[in-house]
Amino acid sequence: MGPLAVDEDDERCLVVDAGDEEDWVVRFDKSDEFPAREWADNMVTVYNHRLRSPQAGSEAARRAAPP
Amino acid sequence: MRADETTATQPRGTRDASQNGRQNGDGKRATRDHVVGPVSEFPDGSHRVVDVGGRQIGVFNIGGTFHALPNICPHQTGPVCEAKRVVGTLRATEETGWDPEWVKDGEVLVCPWHGLEYHIPTGQCLAFPNIKLRRYDVSVEDGQVVVHLRAKKASK
């Protein structure tokens, strides 16, 4: 899957394929107690950075333990 | 390879769903069908990550019903579907006198990176009700497990 992006409306933030906003993978519903936009932005930032990293395509990198 | 191993495997074949008239759930765009293997390779209680249309998808057989989820955790994008086992979870409520009870047995996925739990049939994150994984359409046709993805958006 290529880069991700955030699609936001009044009710939720969707994390979507950056090349196809209708192709979503995760939904973050908005509420007063839950920072949906922050969660979505974080997911997109982390994923897209990993995609751009030189080791992103390696099996070892994909399975690596989290930092 | 054991059925419970989760190394991504390539789909066995792809076809345009327009050939059989299938439409995506929202009816807006046709889907593409991806054969990911015979049912015999997905015994009850097993799961596997498959590479479908350039993305990794976890395919689960729970009691004969198939489910498909993206292999990406909303938390830190870990390979959530590569969990070794599908389990249940503990829940304490007023109804149980606040004693923990084991629920959703065989329906819970635990991300191997940080342990967030997801209910496979719904995609619901158990710790954060505001988070939900997408559920892809999956079916069994002629003894083959088929994942149905929305056809890619046409280039402008």
Side-chain angles (χ1 to χ4, degrees):
Chain A
M1 184 166 219
L4 300 176
V6 179
D7 178 65
E8 181 177 7
D9 68 14
D10 291 342
E11 296 182 348
R12 86 300 182 262
C13 291
L14 294 179
V15 170
V16 301
D17 182 336
D20 184 352
E21 69 279 4
E22 293 182 10
D23 187 4
W24 65 280
V25 290
V26 174
R27 175 183 175 115
F28 298 95
D29 285 319
K30 293 182 176 180
S31 70
D32 291 340
E33 301 79 25
F34 184 78
R37 180 75 201 202
E38 291 178 32
W39 271 81
D41 282 339
N42 178 72
M43 180 180 176
V44 168
T45 299
V46 172
Y47 184 83
N48 289 349
H49 272 291
R50 289 178 61 212
L51 271 187
R52 289 195 294 267
S53 108
Q55 298 175 326
S58 73
E59 188 71 5
R62 194 175 62 78
R63 293 174 174 276
Chain B
M1 187 169 88
R2 296 201 328 268
D4 60 350
E5 289 184 352
T6 53
T7 302
T9 55
Q10 296 295 320
R12 308 299 173 85
T14 303
R15 63 178 184 261
D16 288 324
S18 55
Q19 294 171 353
N20 60 16
R22 181 186 291 274
Q23 292 289 315
N24 195 298
D26 58 16
K28 292 179 179 176
R29 200 185 301 175
T31 59
R32 284 181 69 81
D33 298 342
H34 302 265
V35 177
V36 297
V39 173
S40 60
E41 293 184 2
F42 296 84
D44 186 8
S46 73
H47 69 287
R48 176 185 298 175
V49 176
V50 296
D51 191 313
V52 178
R55 73 188 59 196
Q56 293 196 342
I57 291 177
V59 177
F60 303 80
N61 178 351
I62 300 176
T65 300
F66 283 80
H67 307 273
L69 302 173
N71 185 29
I72 180 170
C73 183
H75 174 218
Q76 282 280 291
T77 72
V80 62
C81 294
E82 294 185 13
K84 294 292 183 189
R85 298 173 55 226
V86 171
V87 295
T89 193
L90 287 169
R91 179 180 60 186
T93 63
E94 188 171 9
E95 286 74 27
T96 66
W98 303 111
D99 289 330
E101 63 173 348
W102 188 250
V103 296
K104 304 183 190 305
D105 189 44
E107 298 181 348
V108 175
L109 184 63
V110 182
C111 181
W113 274 20
H114 300 97
L116 276 185
E117 297 175 318
Y118 298 90
H119 185 228
I120 296 164
T122 61
Q124 182 67 57
C125 178
L126 300 182
F128 296 96
N130 295 62
I131 301 176
K132 185 174 282 189
L133 296 171
R134 182 173 186 177
R135 292 178 300 123
Y136 295 105
D137 190 14
V138 58
S139 64
V140 175
E141 299 175 7
D142 299 325
Q144 300 288 325
V145 179
V146 183
V147 175
H148 312 281
L149 293 183
R150 182 199 301 264
K152 275 290 182 186
K153 190 176 183 178
S155 300
K156 293 180 180 177

